[in-house]
């Protein structure tokens, strides 16, 4: 079967679906597209308003939809109209369980084929495709889009796609931290990007530099879409995933390109102020710094000499003599992380005090215009 004699239906005409439909049309496939919401922009392929019409003559039905719910809904609508020979190819990013259920329900006609890459990769035909399912016309369509990597089953293909996207989420997170540190050090955005382009983040910097320096252009991959993928991964694994919360709470907003999630400014100095007061309390032994850092109702809790202890602020302050420790010159403290969630924040700190190392975990709250520590728990090793 040649491209010119193959009918392909593309269901889902977002950025990726539209790019896929154009690519196939440009390479000789007869393409009919359909979208759940009306598409007003003229396309280089046929667009219809009825999904049943879109699939009626299709040899390959390609799904480019947002999530598993959308895939199930659309397949339920079109299944009665699918030709006996038609293969359903799903490039959507969905949960492994959803992919497995679709594969069972559609049996041999289903190819789960999530892709690595965005619109530019589609246009170049350089997607990396994780395909699980029987060979046939579906693979001819996929070959026009990029390099096909065969995977054992649909659930594995879906899981591997989510794992691949953690590297993208991680790159966004690492880039954000690098740019924040550069800003605090007084380096310009251009200087920071110049050097980051030479290292491990060079790929994302090269692809996104215009957005990172203030250009306005349509998103290739949105913050919301990547956040959705990280939520799917966390739900599938039942294991915490930091990137899921970071992306979901990004001030860039869900419709922004992922590059804008890396342009979040550093943590405001007001959040760091009580942590810095806490450090001064340890450095000087002056409990007034702890009273400035903590809320009056705060507690400090942990295990001391094998026994759980819980001190209120007065009891904690009473442990300090008003002067620095004899070995203060050798002691070190480091704020490890600060995560702000509206009017609350969490933070961690490591303190090296002589032979002991302390890991402190803080809960902070904003009271009016200032931040204070509500509670602290610690581990001593």
């Amino acid at each position: 079967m040649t491209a010119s004699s193959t009918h392909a239906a593309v269901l889902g005409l977002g950025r990726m679906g539209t790019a896929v439909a154009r690519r196939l049309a440009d390479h000789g496939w007869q393409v009919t597209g359909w979208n759940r919401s009306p598409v007003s922009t003229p396309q280089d392929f046929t667009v219809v308003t009825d999904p049943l019409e879109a699939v009626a003559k299709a040899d390959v039905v390609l799904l480019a939809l947002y999530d598993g719910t959308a895939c199930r809904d659309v397949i339920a609508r079109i299944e009665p109209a699918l030709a006996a020979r038609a293969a359903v190819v799903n490039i959507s990013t969905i949960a492994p369980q959803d992919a497995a259920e679709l594969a069972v329900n559609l049996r041999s006609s289903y190819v789960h084929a999530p892709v690595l890459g965005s619109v530019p990769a589609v246009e170049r035909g350089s997607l990396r495709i994780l395909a699980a399912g029987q060979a046939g016309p579906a693979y001819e369509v996929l070959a026009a889009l990029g390099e096909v990597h065969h995977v054992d089953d649909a659930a594995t293909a879906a899981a591997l796609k989510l794992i691949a996207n953690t590297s993208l989420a991680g790159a966004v997170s690492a880039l954000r931290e690098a740019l924040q540190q550069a800003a605090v050090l007084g380096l310009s955005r251009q200087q920071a990007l110049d050097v980051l382009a030479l290292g491990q983040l060079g790929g994302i910097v090269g692809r996104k530099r215009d957005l990172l320096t203030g250009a306005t252009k349509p998103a290739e991959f949105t913050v919301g879409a990547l956040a959705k993928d990280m939520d799917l991964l966390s739900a599938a694994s039942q294991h915490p995933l930091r990137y899921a919360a970071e992306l979901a709470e990004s001030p860039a907003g869900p419709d922004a390109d992922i590059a804008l999630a890396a342009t979040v400014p550093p943590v405001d100095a007001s959040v760091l102020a009580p942590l810095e007061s806490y450090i001064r309390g340890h450095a000087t032994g002056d409990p007034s710094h702890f009273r400035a850092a903590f809320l009056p109702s705060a507690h400090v809790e942990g295990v001391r000499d094998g026994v759980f202890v819980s001190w209120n602020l007065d009891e904690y302050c009473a442990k300090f003599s008003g002067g620095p420790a004899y070995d203060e010159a050798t002691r070190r403290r480091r704020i490890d992380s600060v995560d702000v969630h509206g009017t609350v924040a969490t933070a961690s700190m490591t303190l090296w005090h002589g032979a002991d190392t302390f890991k402190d975990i803080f809960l902070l709250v904003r009271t009016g215009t200032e931040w204070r520590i509500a509670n602290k728990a610690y581990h001593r090793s």
Side-chain angles (χ1 to χ4, degrees), residues 99-344:
E101 290 175 1
L102 291 173
V104 168
N105 291 337
L106 287 171
R107 302 181 188 280
S108 61
S109 64
Y110 185 74
V111 177
H112 196 69
V115 302
L116 309 183
S118 57
V119 171
V122 177
E123 294 170 344
R124 295 190 301 267
S126 61
L127 290 173
R128 300 292 188 267
I129 305 166
L130 307 173
Q134 292 188 6
Y139 283 79
E140 296 176 20
V141 168
L142 293 175
L145 302 176
E147 181 180 328
V148 178
H149 299 262
H150 294 275
V151 180
D152 290 340
D153 56 71
T156 300
L160 288 173
K161 169 59 190 291
L162 296 176
I163 291 298
N165 274 9
T166 61
S167 66
L168 180 57
V172 171
S173 181
L175 180 58
R176 181 182 67 248
E177 292 203 5
L179 293 179
Q180 288 176 344
Q181 294 288 342
V184 172
L185 292 172
L187 300 171
S188 72
R189 176 67 58 82
Q190 293 287 359
Q191 286 176 307
L193 292 175
D194 283 345
V195 73
L196 290 171
L198 303 176
Q200 298 301 312
L201 294 175
I204 190 169
V205 170
R207 295 192 305 273
K208 303 292 186 179
R209 184 157 188 155
D210 50 354
L211 285 163
L212 292 168
T213 51
T216 301
K217 59 185 291 189
E220 292 177 355
F221 190 26
T222 67
V223 172
L226 186 55
K228 180 266 294 184
D229 294 350
M230 296 301 95
D231 279 338
L232 288 177
L233 177 57
S234 181
S237 68
Q238 292 293 295
H239 193 77
L241 181 62
R242 182 185 182 94
Y243 303 141
E246 286 183 353
L247 290 162
E249 298 175 7
S250 172
D255 296 327
D257 190 276
I258 57 170
L260 299 185
T263 61
V264 178
V267 173
D268 190 84
S270 64
V271 185
L272 298 177
L275 300 172
E276 292 166 346
S277 291
Y278 174 81
I279 288 174
R280 284 193 294 273
H282 277 288
T284 64
D286 182 351
S288 67
H289 294 298
F290 295 120
R291 295 191 182 279
F294 287 89
L295 287 172
S297 58
H299 277 74
V300 174
E301 298 178 323
V303 175
R304 188 177 184 89
D305 299 326
V307 178
F308 175 76
V309 295
S310 180
W311 301 307
N312 63 33
L313 184 58
D314 288 338
E315 291 169 331
Y316 185 68
C317 288
K319 298 181 178 300
F320 294 86
S321 63
Y326 74 93
D327 61 346
E328 173 57 29
T330 67
R331 295 188 173 198
R332 294 189 296 122
R333 295 111 192 163
R334 180 188 67 207
I335 299 173
D336 298 321
S337 66
V338 179
D339 295 297
V340 180
H341 311 274
T343 58
V344 298

